[in-house]
Amino acid sequence: RENEALIERDYVSIEWQCRVAGPDRIKVYQAGGRDHDEWITIGPDHYFNLGFWVGPMRENLEPRDRMNAFLRVTKVAALLNEFEPQTATVQEIDGDSYSRLVYQLERAAELKEVAAWMGADSPRAPLHAEVWIDVERGYPAALLLQSEALDWFQIFTGCNEALQIDVPQVSAGPNV
């Protein structure tokens, strides 16, 4: 939607907090400015918090499915499996060691591959990517993706922790 503040800045800043349990359960809170959104996806069923939970819904949800795919940590595995980093260093931050892998992707085929696991349109070349791996735990800690029209930074916490995401208590409306 059109927003004067967005027109003045020519960019949007959105923050997501998500929890992922297993291959088919995700709970997301999304905030951008004064707008926010919350949803739970369990398998093919989508539930939305409109001040009260509604669902399950299954139709016309391709954008939500694409966002869910993009938020998952699996895109880091795809990046690690498909591309060779330009540089790899180990850095200490607050007493913890992290492997920092830096990628520079410029060829159309590379960008098309990235778009497939991002669930998005191909980013503009060049795409700068950094993956930070927690050396002690062996899990991704952070992902940075930057191009002309993309500035994405994602932090991963709690990898491999037990997590339960249940079907929300749905309502027919606010007065029910």
Side-chain angles (χ1 to χ4, degrees):
R1 77 184 179 205
E2 194 169 309
N3 180 320
E4 287 182 30
L6 292 179
I7 293 169
E8 290 173 11
R9 291 191 312 252
D10 198 29
Y11 71 91
V12 62
S13 177
I14 299 175
E15 179 179 321
W16 289 274
Q17 296 176 9
C18 67
R19 301 180 70 143
V20 178
D24 67 345
R25 291 177 181 251
I26 186 168
K27 181 176 184 179
V28 178
Y29 177 79
Q30 169 182 290
R34 294 180 299 220
D35 297 327
H36 66 274
D37 196 9
E38 184 177 17
W39 69 87
I40 294 175
T41 302
I42 299 177
D45 297 329
H46 293 261
Y47 301 86
F48 300 93
N49 187 346
L50 307 174
F52 53 93
W53 285 98
V54 297
M57 297 177 190
R58 292 186 176 182
E59 296 180 15
N60 303 321
L61 295 167
E62 182 184 347
R64 192 62 45 119
D65 286 333
R66 289 173 56 182
M67 178 56 67
N68 286 349
F70 187 57
L71 292 171
R72 294 178 188 276
V73 72
T74 51
K75 67 182 164 294
V76 174
L79 184 64
L80 295 173
N81 286 331
E82 299 298 324
F83 304 105
E84 288 290 324
Q86 281 186 323
T87 62
T89 58
V90 175
Q91 298 185 344
E92 292 278 330
I93 301 173
D94 296 330
D96 293 320
S97 296
Y98 297 92
S99 294
R100 178 178 174 239
L101 308 172
V102 178
Y103 301 81
Q104 193 73 14
L105 308 176
E106 298 184 13
R107 296 190 320 261
E110 292 174 328
L111 297 173
K112 188 174 182 178
E113 178 120 6
V114 169
W117 51 258
M118 284 174 51
D121 296 330
S122 290
R124 293 189 185 120
L127 176 68
H128 173 84
E130 294 183 17
V131 176
W132 295 71
I133 306 289
D134 183 315
V135 172
E136 181 181 332
R137 293 172 193 84
Y139 294 115
L143 172 66
L144 172 70
L145 298 173
Q146 292 177 316
S147 71
E148 181 182 319
L150 175 68
D151 191 4
W152 178 271
F153 182 67
Q154 187 171 9
I155 298 172
F156 303 100
T157 61
C159 289
N160 210 31
E161 290 181 3
L163 176 64
Q164 180 67 32
I165 298 174
D166 295 317
V167 174
Q169 192 73 27
V170 296
S171 173
N175 298 322
V176 175

